[in-house]
């Protein structure tokens, strides 16, 4: 009789074991029921001659008699050995899993020879067995990828945290057991190079490709940390009922939550106070994002349409549902004006690091405006001003008129407009990819300061995208710490003698005359006259409150999509039209 251990190797029996099967074991059904076999084990055809090879138990079988003991007459009359061989082959099969899914091996333990221990053995984690020093794989620092979680109910959040703990232990071990702040680029550089050098993504990838284990672990630690932040954010959004790509649905759920929190007596007042927010979309920024994110798509006549595809796809996800319900949401597209603006007059090098607009992108601006017209969207721009300034002016006017504002953009400059919590009407931002709400707390988390002081931080740290140099040697984190300590930029400039770090103090003193200029460059103009704005729809005397989309004309949008070969949008509109119930006929008199 052979016992099979968890690794699938046959082991000779223990003479003290009393689990030797009696004659009833030769009955198949009795054998299966007696030893409490799993459904998978029960399916093994015990008496099938193809299962067992009499010579398969190398070193354990008697070559002369063909049996497992001298007194046995042969293996063909020993069904328990056939079952052992079948289970051994079964264990040697590698688990099949889909690409991209985590490795979760089931805790399958063949214990049919000890039925009284089946339940306890089935819950044993054979993949985290103790070592001779009585330490587990986790405690010995074995990478988490080689450790199975079995059937344990670990959440994704806990799984990522365990991975981070494993990688952290590996980094400390590679550093000779010395601990340091892995989140500090300076301390990571000292651990890797012995001096302060760059440890950005490219550097870590190059070191890891050359066999530097610590660089590979640090790279993985940073990736897992970002993943953990996303998971925490996802859990928070799920708790609030947030759904990706459902801006108006999330907005309605937030309003219901606020109304229920205020109570039924004031629910109407809350609804009136909030109203439907005005959604201002930074169209120019999204066009550039779509252009660089999508492949170079073209119309059959050669017209480039990559950016147009991205813009129409976003509007389709955002608006079609409400438009087919007959609603007219408050949504406005805001564009940059052509040519230089007032910032170029203040600082000729403003955005000088940017190249000219790509030639295949220039004709797509007009196509995007045609698409907006087909959707029924108002479009606004102001000559000599950027879209950010137009958005700031419209948001300020809307708030004065009692209308809340959401700004769909990823531009950090616009974060200066976000209002503090419990301020009504509120101004918030919306991520243009996932339609996630970005409020005051998110600004503090990302930049270390509130929205009102974000301009001071940008003036100190500079903005490489707009070619604003800032103060050399001061990044966003140091700038945030200085602003939090001194309150605002003017107080910092007047109190430079109190800065303890000599290099930092000297750098600020040398560039103090430029800081006021940098502050003007990052400040948004909120006072653009309405007369300078060009709007595709006439601004009525009611003001910004009156800005809404036109009545939806599906035929107009279908014709545009068909003409520009936007088949995805065309098919979706056509599908919705076919699914729309037919109008009821008037009752017969």
């Amino acid at each position: 009789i052979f016992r099979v251990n968890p690794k699938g190797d046959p082991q000779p029996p223990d003479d003290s074991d009393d689990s030797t099967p009696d004659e009833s074991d030769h009955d198949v059904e009795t054998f299966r029921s007696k030893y409490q076999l799993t459904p998978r084990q029960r399916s093994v055809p015990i008496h099938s001659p193809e299962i067992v090879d009499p010579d398969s138990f190398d070193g354990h079988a008697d070559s002369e008699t063909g049996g497992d003991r001298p007194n046995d007459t042969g293996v063909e009359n020993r069904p328990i050995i056939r079952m052992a061989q079948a289970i051994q082959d079964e264990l040697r099969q590698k688990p099949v899993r889909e690409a991209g899914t985590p490795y979760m091996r089931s805790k399958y333990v063949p214990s049919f020879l000890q039925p009284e221990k089946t339940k306890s053995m089935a819950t044993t984690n054979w993949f985290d067995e103790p070592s001779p020093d009585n330490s587990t794989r986790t405690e010995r620092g074995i990478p988490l990828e080689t450790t199975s979680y079995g059937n344990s109910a670990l959440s994704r959040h806990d799984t990522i945290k365990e991975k981070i703990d494993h990688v952290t232990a590996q980094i400390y071990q590679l550093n000779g057991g010395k601990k340091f702040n892995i989140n500090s680029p300076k301390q990571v550089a000292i651990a890797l190079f012995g001096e302060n050098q760059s440890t950005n993504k490219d550097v870590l990838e190059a070191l890891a490709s050359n066999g530097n284990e610590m660089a590979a672990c640090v790279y993985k630690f940073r990736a897992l940390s970002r993943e953990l932040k996303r998971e925490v954010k996802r859990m928070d959004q799920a708790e609030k009922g947030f759904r990706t790509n459902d801006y108006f649905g999330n907005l309605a759920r937030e309003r219901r939550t606020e109304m229920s929190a205020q109570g039924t007596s004031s629910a109407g007042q809350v609804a009136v106070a909030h109203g439907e927010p005005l959604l201002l979309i930074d169209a120019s920024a999204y066009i550039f994002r779509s252009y660089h994110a999508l492949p170079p798509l073209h119309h059959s006549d050669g017209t480039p349409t990559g950016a147009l595809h991205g813009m129409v796809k976003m509007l389709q996800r955002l608006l079609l549902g409400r438009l087919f319900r007959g609603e007219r949401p408050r949504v406005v597209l805001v564009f940059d004006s052509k040519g230089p603006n007032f910032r170029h007059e203040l600082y000729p090098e403003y955005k000088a690091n940017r190249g000219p607009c790509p030639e295949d992108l220039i004709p797509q601006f007009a196509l995007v405006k045609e698409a907006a017209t087909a959707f029924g969207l108002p479009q606004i721009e102001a000559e000599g001003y950027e879209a950010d300034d137009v958005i700031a002016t419209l948001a300020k006017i809307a708030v004065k008129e009692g209308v809340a504002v959401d700004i769909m953009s990823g531009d950090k400059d616009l974060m200066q407009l976000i209002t503090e919590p419990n301020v009504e009407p509120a101004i918030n931002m919306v991520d243009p990819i996932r339609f996630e709400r970005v409020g005051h707390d998110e600004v503090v988390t990302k930049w270390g300061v509130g929205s009102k002081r974000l301009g001071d931080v940008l003036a100190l740290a500079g903005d490489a995208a707009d070619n604003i140099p800032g103060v050399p040697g001061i990044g966003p984190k140091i700038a945030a710490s200085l602003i939090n300590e001194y309150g605002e930029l003017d107080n910092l400039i007047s109190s430079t003698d109190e800065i303890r770090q000599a290099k930092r103090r000297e750098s600020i003193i040398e560039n103090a005359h430029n800081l006021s200029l940098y502050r003007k460059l990052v400040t948004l103009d909120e006072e653009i006259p309405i007369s300078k704005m060009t709007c595709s729809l006439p601004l009525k005397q009611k003001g910004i409150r009156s800005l809404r989309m036109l009545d939806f004309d599906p035929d107009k949008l279908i014709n545009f999509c068909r003409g520009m070969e936007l088949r995805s949008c065309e098919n979706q509109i056509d599908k919705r039209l076919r699914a729309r119930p037919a109008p009821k006929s008037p009752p017969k008199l």
Side-chain angles (χ1 to χ4, degrees):
I1 304 173
F2 291 88
R3 187 183 308 282
V4 181
N5 70 354
K7 297 182 179 179
D9 301 326
Q11 300 291 335
D14 186 355
D15 294 339
S16 63
D17 189 270
D18 58 354
S19 60
T20 304
D22 52 26
E23 293 299 322
S24 64
D25 290 339
H26 295 274
D27 180 73
V28 176
E29 295 302 324
T30 304
F31 174 83
R32 285 172 169 163
S33 60
K34 179 177 179 179
Y35 292 102
Q36 302 181 11
L37 303 183
T38 66
R40 188 174 182 182
Q41 295 171 352
R42 291 175 184 273
S43 63
V44 177
I46 296 178
H47 291 297
S48 175
E50 293 84 9
I51 293 182
V52 179
D53 179 4
D55 297 330
S56 61
F57 293 97
D58 297 335
H60 296 286
D62 192 326
S63 59
E64 295 182 359
T65 63
D68 59 335
R69 291 184 180 180
N71 295 332
D72 290 339
T73 58
V75 74
E76 51 272 4
N77 293 325
R78 307 295 299 178
I80 193 169
I81 297 181
R82 296 180 181 178
M83 175 60 71
Q85 174 70 9
I87 300 303
Q88 176 185 1
D89 294 340
E90 183 182 51
L91 283 174
R92 286 174 175 170
Q93 296 178 0
K94 294 182 179 180
V96 180
R97 61 189 179 96
E98 298 180 0
T101 58
Y103 178 69
M104 302 287 284
R105 183 168 179 174
S106 61
K107 301 178 183 179
Y108 169 67
V109 180
S111 57
F112 58 92
L113 290 176
Q114 293 181 322
E116 70 282 355
K117 298 182 180 180
T118 299
K119 184 174 182 180
S120 62
M121 292 180 68
T123 58
T124 302
N125 190 349
W126 296 97
F127 304 99
D128 200 18
E129 69 274 18
S131 63
D133 60 352
N134 206 29
S135 64
T136 64
R137 293 164 64 92
T138 301
E139 295 168 349
R140 297 197 301 273
I142 296 180
L144 194 66
E145 298 85 296
T146 63
T147 305
S148 171
Y149 291 104
N151 294 328
S152 58
L154 281 177
S155 65
R156 177 175 173 79
H157 176 271
D158 294 338
T159 301
I160 297 174
K161 288 192 67 176
E162 284 203 6
K163 288 183 179 180
I164 291 177
D165 293 340
H166 278 283
V167 175
T168 302
Q170 285 182 299
I171 293 174
Y172 292 158
Q173 184 178 3
L174 293 171
N175 196 41
K178 298 180 180 179
K179 296 183 179 182
F180 61 96
N181 185 6
I182 308 176
N183 292 308
S184 171
K186 183 176 181 180
Q187 295 189 31
V188 170
I190 293 175
L192 285 172
F193 309 111
E195 58 182 358
N196 189 12
Q197 295 185 17
S198 174
T199 57
N200 58 24
K201 177 181 177 181
D202 296 334
V203 173
L204 293 178
E205 285 182 342
L207 292 174
S209 62
N210 291 328
N212 191 315
E213 295 185 18
M214 181 178 288
C217 290
V218 172
Y219 182 88
K220 187 172 184 180
F221 175 87
R222 292 180 179 177
L224 289 171
S225 298
R226 292 192 297 269
E227 187 178 356
L228 181 62
K229 289 182 180 179
R230 289 193 295 267
E231 180 62 17
V232 170
K233 187 175 183 179
R234 186 199 63 79
M235 293 171 61
D236 182 61
Q237 292 171 344
E239 184 178 353
K240 296 178 181 178
F242 176 86
R243 296 179 184 175
T244 304
N245 297 333
D246 187 11
Y247 165 74
F248 289 107
N250 294 328
L251 185 64
R253 281 184 284 273
E254 289 179 8
R255 291 179 63 187
R256 286 196 297 268
T257 303
E258 294 171 354
M259 292 171 64
S260 61
Q262 294 289 337
T264 56
S265 60
S266 60
Q269 297 178 2
V270 174
V272 172
H274 286 223
E276 180 186 354
L278 171 65
L279 179 61
L280 302 173
I281 301 177
D282 188 354
S284 297
Y286 199 91
I287 290 173
F288 276 96
R289 180 193 289 264
S290 300
Y291 174 79
H292 292 288
L294 296 177
L297 305 176
H298 292 80
H299 189 274
S300 57
D301 62 2
T303 303
T305 58
L308 175 65
H309 270 270
M311 193 71 182
V312 170
K313 192 70 175 178
M314 184 271 289
L315 296 176
Q316 175 184 334
R317 290 187 294 125
L318 177 68
L319 299 172
L320 275 190
R322 295 198 68 185
L323 293 179
F324 273 100
R325 290 196 294 269
E327 301 177 13
R328 295 174 54 203
R330 285 174 170 159
V331 182
V332 179
L333 295 186
V334 183
F335 292 86
D336 288 324
S337 65
K338 297 180 181 180
N341 54 65
F342 71 95
R343 291 183 178 84
H344 292 90
E345 299 175 0
L346 294 173
Y347 184 58
E349 299 300 320
Y350 179 71
K351 293 187 178 181
N353 56 336
R354 300 188 185 184
C357 182
E359 293 184 1
D360 57 340
L361 178 59
I362 295 175
Q364 298 189 60
F365 282 94
L367 296 177
V368 169
K369 292 182 179 180
E370 291 183 23
T373 303
F375 274 97
L377 280 163
Q379 308 148 50
I380 299 179
E381 61 182 88
E383 185 176 358
Y385 295 91
E386 298 183 41
D388 296 354
D389 302 310
V390 179
I391 290 174
T393 302
L394 295 176
K396 181 179 179 180
I397 296 174
V399 168
K400 287 183 178 179
E401 296 178 0
V403 178
V405 178
D406 283 345
I407 302 170
M408 183 173 288
S409 176
D411 194 336
K412 57 182 175 294
D413 294 332
L414 289 169
M415 290 184 177
Q416 301 177 69
L417 301 175
I418 296 177
T419 54
E420 295 181 355
N422 302 321
V423 174
E424 296 296 341
I427 301 177
N428 292 294
M429 289 186 66
V430 178
D431 180 79
I433 303 301
R434 295 173 55 86
F435 299 163
E436 297 176 352
R437 181 66 62 86
V438 178
H440 186 269
D441 294 340
E442 286 75 17
V443 175
V444 175
T445 301
K446 183 173 182 178
W447 293 99
V449 295
S451 55
K452 290 184 177 181
R453 301 268 69 90
L454 179 57
D456 295 338
V457 171
L458 295 177
L460 278 170
D463 188 350
D466 293 340
N467 200 33
I468 301 175
V471 178
I474 294 184
K477 290 186 178 180
I478 295 178
S481 64
L482 290 172
I483 295 302
N484 287 327
E485 182 177 357
Y486 293 95
E488 58 182 18
L489 187 60
D490 294 337
N491 293 340
L492 173 64
I493 295 174
S494 60
S495 307
T496 51
D497 295 338
E498 301 177 6
I499 300 177
R500 294 182 296 274
Q501 296 82 357
K503 291 184 178 180
R504 189 178 302 174
R505 180 175 62 251
E506 294 175 1
S507 183
I508 294 177
I509 293 175
E510 292 175 359
N511 294 271
H513 62 286
N514 291 325
L515 282 175
S516 59
L517 172 62
Y518 300 157
R519 187 66 174 89
K520 291 179 181 179
L521 293 176
V522 300
T523 301
L524 301 178
D525 190 347
E526 302 178 359
E527 304 294 337
I528 303 177
I530 296 295
S531 58
K532 289 189 176 182
M533 295 186 185
T534 303
C535 184
S536 60
L537 299 178
L539 290 175
K540 300 179 181 180
Q541 296 180 353
K542 295 181 180 179
I544 303 301
R545 178 187 292 272
S546 64
L547 276 177
R548 285 187 179 273
M549 295 181 63
L550 297 176
D551 291 331
F552 181 50
D553 185 355
D555 294 333
K556 186 176 182 179
L557 184 55
I558 284 181
N559 292 334
F560 173 81
C561 294
R562 184 176 295 121
M564 296 309 303
E565 299 178 355
L566 305 175
R567 296 184 179 87
S568 175
C569 183
E570 178 186 353
N571 293 338
Q572 183 171 357
I573 297 172
D574 187 61
K575 182 179 179 180
R576 285 178 176 267
L577 288 175
R578 290 198 304 267
R580 178 183 290 183
K584 298 181 179 180
S585 58
K588 296 181 180 180
L589 299 177

